[in-house]
Amino acid sequence: MSNISIKNAADIEGMRVAGKLAAEVLDYIGPFVTPGISTGELDRLCHEYMVNVQKTIPAPLNYCPPGYTPYPKSVCTSVNDVICHGIPGDKVLKAGDAVNIDVTVIKNGYHGDTSRMFYAGTPSILAKRLGDITYECMWLGISKIKPGAHLGDIGHIIQVHAEKAGYSVVREFCGHGIGKVFHEEPQVLHYGRPGTLEELKAGMIFTVEPMINAGRREIREMGDGWTIRTKDRSLSAQWEHTILVTETGFEVLTISPQMPAPPAFIAA
């Protein structure tokens, strides 16, 4: 598809800076994810860190795609059965809650986009396993990225790994191209067939951000117009990195000192 932008050297450098800053927001907020804190307080802390410390712009704040109302907060906090786009507010985290915090910052016009799973206190065995398998899914997808590979290769390996664990892949939301625009081509599906969809070329930048449900894949949209939950109320997990396709493979742009290490099978 010709409308996938190929980034030049200046774009790539700008995206490295933005990606690193986005990941550092997650480093900063992690210690605050404890039982008793509200999602609104997590948002406030992230917002102040981005605006006052990093001098970045929180991309989600007032973000308004066609057909949506403006998003009212600076990060997304998706707790337990919330798949994505959970709006921070009065909800207080309880011991064992699993929460995805999704951060996108804008620095010098470039977007850095990344998310991680956090647990308030000790998670249930189910929640921890779902989070771990989802993390493996993301990294397996990333591991397929190189020039000449296809987007379908990424989706396929994610789908196989999730379903083998007894989980399901959310279909309605996917990864996306990113740069000076928050969401651009291509769409990066987290299911599919190898060798299908667009061929990857050096200079493409996009997110890999699988949303994996412990139960069925069906979703339901909440009345706020943003929050998406699992229809069967099962747990959901998500991890996200922003990736550059290099001449020889991939480079993860959303890196920071405290980001979790890749799984051993990737490091090898």
Side-chain angles (χ1 to χ4, degrees), residues 20-33 37 41-54 75 101 103 116 118 256-259:
K20 185 170 176 294
L21 288 164
E24 285 171 357
V25 177
L26 294 174
D27 284 4
Y28 166 74
I29 202 62
F32 294 99
V33 181
I37 196 166
E41 179 68 2
L42 292 172
D43 175 78
R44 186 188 69 78
L45 289 163
C46 286
H47 178 88
E48 293 187 353
Y49 186 77
M50 289 186 256
V51 172
N52 299 332
V53 178
Q54 295 186 328
V75 299
I101 300 180
V103 169
R116 284 179 207 164
F118 297 95
S256 61
Q258 289 163 51
M259 69 176 229

Side-chain angles (χ1 to χ4, degrees), residues 66-211:
Y68 284 78
T69 52
Y71 187 80
K73 297 288 181 175
S74 295
V75 299
C76 297
T77 52
S78 300
V79 182
N80 294 336
D81 66 327
V82 176
I83 297 170
C84 61
H85 303 159
I87 299 175
D90 298 332
K91 181 172 181 64
V92 172
L93 296 183
K94 300 186 299 294
D97 278 349
V99 55
N100 174 277
I101 300 180
D102 193 342
V103 169
T104 307
V105 303
I106 307 171
K107 185 71 170 182
N108 301 325
Y110 292 100
H111 291 72
D113 188 2
T114 183
S115 82
R116 284 179 207 164
M117 294 301 297
F118 297 95
Y119 306 102
T122 305
S124 69
I125 291 168
L126 175 67
K128 181 73 168 69
R129 179 174 183 260
L130 176 64
D132 290 350
I133 294 282
T134 304
Y135 188 64
E136 291 170 6
C137 282
M138 174 187 69
W139 274 105
L140 284 166
I142 291 169
S143 74
K144 288 292 179 188
I145 296 174
K146 63 181 182 192
H150 289 259
L151 285 174
D153 303 342
I154 300 171
H156 177 73
I157 196 169
I158 290 171
Q159 181 182 3
V160 166
H161 192 64
E163 291 177 354
K164 193 173 75 180
Y167 300 146
S168 61
V169 178
V170 173
R171 307 265 175 134
E172 289 82 359
F173 297 91
C174 57
H176 53 90
I178 187 168
K180 287 182 173 169
V181 177
F182 193 166
H183 296 96
E184 59 185 37
E185 291 295 331
Q187 291 197 329
V188 182
L189 305 180
H190 302 116
Y191 61 94
R193 297 197 316 277
T196 62
L197 306 176
E198 288 83 0
E199 185 179 326
L200 304 185
K201 295 183 169 60
M204 288 182 179
I205 295 179
F206 51 79
T207 67
V208 177
E209 48 178 304
M211 293 162 228

